[in-house]
């Protein structure tokens, strides 16, 4: 019997040709990707550049730690709360889906999403605010998106045998740009504005894929934070029992956004009868995804986007909602912000997280001998003004305080609690 089965053995060049043949004219091609360090770099024979980026992120220690980092609600207080890893995977999946629908490079969108929160602190944004307060402008401050790039550029070090990278995991510049710009970039932070590596201030590596991940990150956390509050009840139960007027106002707004979502999805809606048993926040998520695709397609047409240069020169957002656009800020601030992020339980968790982070930072600063040996050596080198990291051209000044901030930012919730209990309980 003759076996006519075709055996595929696709090379990187074959995959790059598929990109050329199938992607939109304004999508990024992996064959055009460059890396931070190119002198000793050898492309993979089988994987595209963005596929290699994906592997490097997934195998990093920082990525593994995301599983035990809080999104909003500390994970040990409930089995079904979203953690930083599950949030990252949600952003990744939505990014792949929308990018594919728009003819963009799904691998680039995917890898930006996988790396966007690698620099996030334990216990959510509360600890980020503590590190900001402890790092002055002379230390270049603290922003989790800048920290994510610092992680892949310096702190995560695989020590490649061929000395490809001086430090870090040497991701492509398109990926690094997307990670940095997945949220706002404050003007007072001067990192990544020097020399040839100016990803903070110029548009050389700007992409629609990166712009979409920025939008999708917000969609994902608003959806699953609302889902956590509704399905686990802890946040809203207190409001329902003690402030019925506020709870009714919450239900009224939830009805409004659900009705809007059903119209976008083409479904009918007759109001929420039993919030606790029947309501599914997925209705709003599906609507925002659909609306983002429609709105982005409209912007591509209206702005006449036909090339990557058009994307990079655009001064208006391209990734945009359609029907949801005029309501999105209110949904984020006046609805989810007011009823979820400003709830008593959320404030209690933030207070606890800030106390832990503040005491850890202060005690390490007062007695750096409590730091692990490697971190202690970095601290001492920084104190003596010796080069501790090899990426001086990024603009970061590695001060003793920044060494401590890097150490705390890399902790998981569990590891931060272990250190706190060891020293203070």
């Amino acid at each position: 019997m003759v076996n006519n089965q075709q055996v595929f053995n696709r090379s990187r060049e074959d995959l790059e040709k598929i990109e050329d043949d199938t992607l939109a004219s304004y999508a990024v091609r992996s064959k055009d990707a460059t890396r931070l360090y190119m002198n000793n770099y050898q492309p993979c024979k089988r994987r595209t550049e963005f596929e290699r980026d994906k592997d490097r992120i997934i195998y990093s220690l920082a990525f593994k730690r995301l599983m035990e980092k809080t999104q909003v609600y500390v994970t040990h207080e409930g089995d079904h709360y979203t953690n930083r890893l599950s949030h990252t995977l949600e952003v990744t999946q939505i990014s792949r889906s929308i990018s594919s629908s728009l003819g963009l490079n799904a691998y680039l969108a995917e890898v930006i999403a996988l790396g966007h929160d690698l620099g996030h602190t334990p216990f959510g944004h509360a600890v980020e605010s503590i590190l900001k307060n402890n790092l002055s402008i002379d230390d270049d401050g603290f922003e989790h998106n800048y920290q994510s790039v610092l992680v892949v550029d310096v702190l995560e070090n695989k020590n490649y045998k061929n000395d490809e990278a001086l430090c870090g995991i040497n991701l492509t510049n398109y990926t690094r740009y997307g990670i940095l710009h997945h949220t706002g970039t404050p003007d007072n932070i001067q990192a990544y504005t020097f020399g040839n590596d100016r990803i903070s201030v110029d548009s050389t590596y700007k992409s629609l894929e990166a712009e979409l991940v920025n939008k999708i990150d917000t969609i994902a956390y608003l959806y699953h934070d609302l889902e956590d509050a509704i399905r686990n009840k802890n946040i809203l139960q207190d409001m329902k029992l003690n402030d019925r007027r506020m709870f009714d106002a919450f239900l009224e707004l939830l009805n409004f956004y659900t009705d809007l979502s059903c119209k976008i999805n083409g479904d009918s809606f007759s109001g929420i009868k039993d919030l606790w048993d029947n309501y599914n926040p997925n209705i709003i998520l599906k609507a925002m995804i659909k609306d983002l695709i429609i709105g982005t397609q409209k912007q591509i047409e209206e702005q006449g986007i036909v090339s990557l240069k058009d994307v990079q020169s655009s001064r208006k957002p391209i990734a945009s909602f359609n029907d949801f656009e005029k309501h999105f800020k209110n949904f984020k601030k006046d609805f989810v912000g007011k009823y979820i992020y400003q709830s008593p339980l959320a404030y209690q968790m933030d207070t606890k997280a800030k106390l832990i982070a503040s005491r850890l930072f202060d005690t390490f600063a007062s007695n750096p001998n409590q730091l692990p040996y490697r971190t202690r050596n970095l601290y001492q080198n920084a104190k003596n003004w010796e080069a501790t990291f090899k990426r001086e051209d990024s603009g970061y000044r590695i001060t003793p305080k920044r060494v401590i901030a890097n150490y705390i930012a890399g902790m998981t919730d569990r590891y931060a609690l272990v250190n706190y209990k060891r020293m203070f309980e």
Side-chain angles (χ1 to χ4, degrees):
M1 181 176 180
V2 178
N3 185 354
N4 293 322
Q5 181 180 358
Q6 184 178 2
V7 178
F8 286 94
N9 184 20
R10 283 176 174 161
S11 65
R12 186 191 76 255
E13 289 84 357
D14 293 331
L15 297 174
E16 290 172 346
K17 186 178 185 306
I18 292 173
E19 288 184 353
D20 278 335
D21 294 341
T22 60
L23 295 185
S25 57
Y26 42 78
V28 175
R29 268 62 175 170
S30 58
K31 67 181 182 181
D32 299 325
T34 58
R35 297 180 182 271
L36 192 60
Y37 302 109
M38 292 295 293
N39 287 343
N40 298 314
Y41 178 72
Q42 295 295 325
C44 180
K45 294 180 179 180
R46 296 177 294 101
R47 295 170 294 169
T48 65
E49 297 300 333
F50 301 133
E51 287 180 283
R52 176 173 263 189
D53 276 1
K54 174 185 175 181
D55 292 344
R56 290 185 174 189
I57 287 176
I58 288 178
Y59 291 122
S60 69
L61 293 177
F63 186 80
K64 293 179 175 67
R65 294 192 196 110
L66 294 178
M67 183 171 60
E68 292 196 45
K69 288 194 176 188
T70 290
Q71 178 68 21
V72 173
Y73 312 125
V74 288
T75 52
H76 63 266
E77 295 197 10
D79 291 337
H80 300 135
Y81 286 137
T82 302
N83 58 42
R84 191 63 60 180
L85 179 60
S86 57
H87 162 72
T88 295
L89 295 178
E90 288 175 12
V91 176
T92 300
Q93 180 56 34
I94 298 171
S95 297
R96 274 201 68 91
S97 176
I98 294 181
S99 295
S100 295
S101 297
L102 294 171
L104 298 172
N105 195 317
Y107 280 112
L108 174 57
E110 179 181 33
V111 73
I112 292 171
L114 285 170
H116 82 281
D117 269 354
L118 290 179
H120 228 300
T121 60
F123 304 117
H125 285 278
V127 174
E128 184 175 356
S129 67
I130 294 300
L131 298 183
K132 281 184 186 179
N133 293 338
N134 280 283
L135 293 177
S136 67
I137 191 65
D138 292 332
D139 305 296
D140 277 315
F142 188 94
E143 300 287 341
H144 79 269
N145 54 324
Y146 282 81
Q147 189 71 14
S148 294
V149 183
L150 187 65
V151 166
V152 299
D153 281 0
V154 174
L155 302 180
E156 187 70 41
N157 200 337
K158 288 295 186 182
N159 293 320
Y160 294 112
K161 292 181 180 180
N162 61 354
D163 294 325
E164 167 198 318
L166 299 176
C167 53
I169 56 177
N170 198 23
L171 300 183
T172 62
N173 291 313
Y174 280 111
T175 299
R176 295 173 62 248
Y177 179 98
I179 291 173
L180 181 63
H181 290 271
H182 84 268
T183 189
T185 53
D187 294 335
N188 63 341
I189 294 185
Q190 295 302 308
Y192 307 111
T193 63
F194 290 81
N196 295 324
D197 186 23
R198 296 169 54 83
I199 59 171
S200 180
V201 291
D202 70 22
S203 60
T204 303
Y205 300 105
K206 181 181 176 182
S207 67
L208 184 49
E209 289 88 346
E211 202 174 317
L212 277 169
V213 174
N214 176 301
K215 207 80 168 180
I216 292 165
D217 178 39
T218 308
I219 290 176
Y221 73 68
L222 290 174
Y223 154 70
H224 57 56
D225 293 345
L226 176 62
E227 181 185 49
D228 283 350
I230 290 175
R231 289 190 174 170
N232 291 288
K233 304 183 184 180
N234 299 12
I235 291 271
L236 299 174
Q237 186 69 41
D238 179 62
M239 188 198 311
K240 184 179 181 183
L241 293 174
N242 297 299
D243 194 339
R244 186 71 201 194
R245 185 179 301 176
M246 188 175 185
F247 185 73
D248 288 342
F250 165 81
L251 286 184
E252 184 178 348
L253 274 177
L254 183 57
N255 271 281
F256 170 79
Y257 289 113
T258 304
D259 186 36
L260 172 64
S261 298
C262 284
K263 289 177 181 177
I264 293 171
N265 291 329
D267 300 330
S268 60
F269 179 68
S270 57
I272 297 169
K273 296 178 180 178
D274 192 333
L275 172 70
W276 305 112
D277 293 332
N278 296 328
Y279 186 70
N280 183 2
N282 191 50
I283 297 169
I284 296 177
L285 175 66
K286 288 169 60 179
M288 287 195 289
I289 291 173
K290 183 177 180 180
D291 205 50
L292 179 59
I293 293 172
I294 294 171
T296 303
Q297 287 172 329
K298 279 190 175 182
Q299 286 300 314
I300 290 170
E301 293 174 3
E302 290 176 6
Q303 295 187 40
I305 304 296
V306 296
S307 68
L308 181 57
K309 285 188 177 180
D310 291 338
V311 172
Q312 294 170 344
S313 61
S314 174
R315 294 294 175 262
K316 290 175 58 180
I318 303 173
S320 304
F321 290 108
N322 186 38
D323 293 332
F324 225 98
E325 187 67 31
K326 61 182 179 180
H327 302 291
F328 186 69
K329 288 184 179 179
N330 291 335
F331 177 75
K332 178 180 178 180
K333 180 180 178 182
D334 298 333
F335 180 56
V336 179
K338 178 179 179 180
Y339 295 105
I340 309 303
Y341 302 144
Q342 297 175 25
S343 66
L345 180 57
Y347 275 126
Q348 290 168 13
M349 290 178 173
D350 283 355
T351 299
K352 180 178 180 179
K354 289 177 180 179
L355 173 65
I356 292 171
S358 293
R359 293 194 72 180
L360 287 176
F361 195 101
D362 290 344
T363 192
F364 289 142
S366 64
N367 182 7
N369 288 326
Q370 297 174 99
L371 294 166
Y373 286 113
R374 181 177 179 275
T375 309
R376 189 197 306 180
N377 291 335
L378 293 173
Y379 180 94
Q380 195 59 48
N381 288 339
K383 189 175 181 180
N384 296 335
W385 294 98
E386 298 174 8
T388 54
F389 299 151
K390 299 175 182 177
R391 283 244 44 214
E392 296 89 345
D393 61 313
S394 69
Y396 270 122
R397 291 169 285 255
I398 306 301
T399 62
K401 284 186 177 181
R402 176 158 287 284
V403 173
I404 296 174
N406 289 340
Y407 178 56
I408 293 176
M411 291 181 175
T412 61
D413 295 7
R414 180 191 59 78
Y415 188 65
L417 284 168
V418 166
N419 276 268
Y420 184 85
K421 289 178 180 179
R422 183 190 298 128
M423 291 189 282
F424 301 114
E425 293 185 8

